[in-house]
Amino acid sequence: METTGTRRSLAWLVGVWALTRVALLLFVFKVYVFPGPDVTSDVSVIYQGWYEVLRTGTFPLDDVTWQYPPAAALPILSPALVFWLDYTSAFFVLCFAADLVVLLLLLYAGLRSGRTLRGAWVWAVGVPLLGPTVYARYDVMVTGVAVAALLAGSRYPRVMGALTAFGAMLKVWPVLLLVAARRRGSWVWAALTAGVLAALFALAMPGAFAFLTFQRDRGTEVESLGALVFHVARQYGWDGQVLLNYGSVEFLGPYVDVVSRAALLLSGLAFGWLWVWRLRARSFHGHTLADGAFVAVLMFVTTSRVISPQYMVWLVGVGAVCLCSRESRMRLPVGLVLVASFVTVLEFPVWFSDVVASDGLGVTLLFLRNGLLVLATLLAARALWRSTVPRPTPPPVPTESPRPRETSLPS
């Protein structure tokens, strides 16, 4: 039965969620102006422009900023469902609804026997730490699909597989949720769902997979781990440029291609570690599915040559699922992600001009945020390995056989 303490915690949780979401809505609707550049322009300019093209039955083939799998057309077109509002307002309302759905899923999971509300608290507190950017990108919708997939994983592997594939067709990264999936049904249904969706989009809308060729000439985004090299190098006369390129602010110039390749190498090494872990892991627990997914997404985000602020909502969502379990080993890494989320809103949008200029404040914020992500990744990977990979049994220490007692013969 529900205790008084649980009811009180639930009331506080819902109250915090409601107050912080009202604040986010006030910012995106510009009742109050959030410091820094306007983060909502992506919706009113880019998303709405894509919407006008997508509603004609084709993908935006002439726009290199369209870098998403074909199912991304669905969230871009979704404001048409709220037809009594203008596009931008409808998009904000739908992001708010996705946020609410995630909270309800985490509450349902957290109130079950043997579970905890810590995950719901992570979501309630973590999302507003990122500021209005959360409601000005469609990533909160994708995160909702990912959260639903992970929560379904232990009891309904087929549902998890289908939702994971759908999420991957929205924005690729949810495919990482399968890293620790052991049941064949998850993988089979993921493959079937992805195949069916890919075929439907390829037949119904021209250019469904043109996005695969739109990222070859990207530089290194100014907020990424690799970008720190150029932020420091600018202090010593590096003559590259900072330009809006492929939809994000990137470094372009000498040695950028080297750093970008190094980022790809780091990602490759990270996925190699995940492969080795998957082969060596033997002790799978109820929380291992979510813990493994969290580590995989952390590695993907940290080593990427682009770390956009909205990527942090992926980590908050997957981390929240981890902490629905009392036995999860990810408490400290999730806590570091929450701190990194707060630093993220400071570097974008509050002091983004300092980041672009490589000023002391901007570079310090980036070193702090990316350092927190690196630390969280290393700690999470170590915790996952220790909880699932058996330690080698030390060889027995040889012991000397006892010497026979000397007996004296009678004289």
Side-chain angles (χ1 to χ4, degrees):
M1 296 180 63
E2 189 179 48
T3 64
T4 303
T6 301
R7 288 196 297 269
R8 187 179 299 113
S9 176
L10 186 59
W12 274 102
L13 173 58
V14 173
V16 168
W17 183 89
L19 288 174
T20 53
R21 273 42 177 196
V22 167
L24 288 179
L25 289 172
L26 291 175
F27 284 127
V28 294
F29 281 108
K30 298 180 181 176
V31 177
Y32 296 103
V33 178
F34 200 80
D38 180 13
V39 300
T40 65
S41 60
D42 277 19
V43 179
S44 57
V45 178
I46 299 175
Y47 285 9
Q48 190 163 0
W50 290 340
Y51 169 82
E52 298 298 337
V53 176
L54 289 167
R55 64 189 301 194
T56 66
T58 185
F59 287 90
L61 303 178
D62 298 326
D63 187 349
V64 294
T65 62
W66 175 263
Q67 301 164 10
Y68 308 107
L74 300 178
I76 301 302
L77 291 169
S78 63
L81 299 172
V82 194
F83 56 86
W84 57 91
L85 295 176
D86 62 89
Y87 182 89
T88 303
S89 300
F91 187 86
F92 296 152
V93 169
L94 290 172
C95 286
F96 170 81
D99 183 358
L100 176 60
V101 168
V102 175
L103 177 71
L104 294 176
L105 288 171
L106 292 169
L107 286 176
Y108 174 76
L111 291 172
R112 287 166 51 196
S113 177
R115 309 282 274 183
T116 174
L117 290 175
R118 290 194 193 99
W121 272 108
V122 168
W123 183 255
V125 173
V127 168
L129 289 178
L130 295 168
T133 304
V134 174
Y135 283 0
R137 307 290 187 271
Y138 80 89
D139 295 79
V140 68
M141 302 179 187
V142 184
T143 303
V145 176
V147 168
L150 279 177
L151 291 176
S154 58
R155 302 173 68 185
Y156 308 104
R158 295 179 180 180
V159 175
M160 178 194 174
L163 288 174
T164 298
F166 178 57
M169 294 295 284
L170 287 170
K171 207 166 186 181
V172 180
W173 70 266
V175 73
L176 299 170
L177 305 183
L178 293 170
V179 162
R182 300 182 68 199
R183 298 190 183 183
R184 184 179 301 177
S186 297
W187 289 90
V188 171
W189 276 80
L192 289 174
T193 304
V196 170
L197 288 175
L200 288 175
F201 277 107
L203 292 173
M205 297 178 70
F209 295 95
F211 76 97
L212 294 172
T213 63
F214 285 171
Q215 297 200 46
R216 289 177 299 187
D217 299 323
R218 294 201 66 162
T220 295
E221 193 256 345
V222 295
E223 297 163 275
S224 65
L225 184 63
L228 294 173
V229 173
F230 300 109
H231 283 295
V232 174
R234 290 178 85 184
Q235 316 303 319
Y236 298 94
W238 180 73
D239 59 352
Q241 296 177 295
V242 179
L243 298 174
L244 183 63
N245 188 50
Y246 290 86
S248 62
V249 181
E250 299 180 351
F251 283 116
L252 298 173
Y255 306 109
V256 171
D257 57 336
V258 176
V259 172
S260 295
R261 284 196 294 269
L264 292 174
L265 177 61
L266 277 178
S267 295
L269 292 173
F271 291 130
W273 183 93
L274 288 169
W275 181 71
V276 172
W277 165 77
R278 192 65 177 81
L279 291 176
R280 296 283 305 277
R282 294 292 181 271
S283 302
F284 284 81
H285 312 280
H287 56 85
T288 303
L289 181 66
D291 287 1
F294 181 65
V295 172
V297 178
L298 252 178
M299 288 183 168
F300 175 79
V301 170
T302 304
T303 62
S304 175
R305 57 181 175 172
V306 177
I307 305 182
S308 297
Q310 61 268 23
Y311 290 11
M312 298 300 295
V313 76
W314 313 347
L315 297 173
V316 172
V318 179
V321 178
C322 291
L323 294 201
C324 285
S325 171
R326 297 181 186 277
E327 291 78 26
S328 174
R329 305 296 181 89
M330 298 297 149
R331 293 185 190 180
L332 178 56
V334 171
L336 293 173
V337 165
L338 292 181
V339 178
S341 297
F342 177 67
V343 180
T344 297
V345 81
L346 297 180
E347 61 90 0
F348 182 89
V350 177
W351 284 301
F352 191 59
S353 59
D354 293 271
V355 172
V356 173
S358 299
D359 287 347
L361 176 60
V363 175
T364 300
L365 289 172
L366 281 184
F367 265 103
L368 180 57
R369 195 280 302 273
N370 292 345
L372 287 166
L373 287 179
V374 170
L375 181 59
T377 302
L378 295 175
L379 292 176
R382 185 181 68 171
L384 180 66
W385 185 278
R386 288 185 171 182
S387 67
T388 56
V389 177
R391 296 182 181 181
T393 304
V397 179
T399 57
E400 295 183 2
S401 57
R403 296 180 178 178
R405 293 183 179 180
E406 296 182 359
T407 57
S408 58
L409 296 175
S411 55

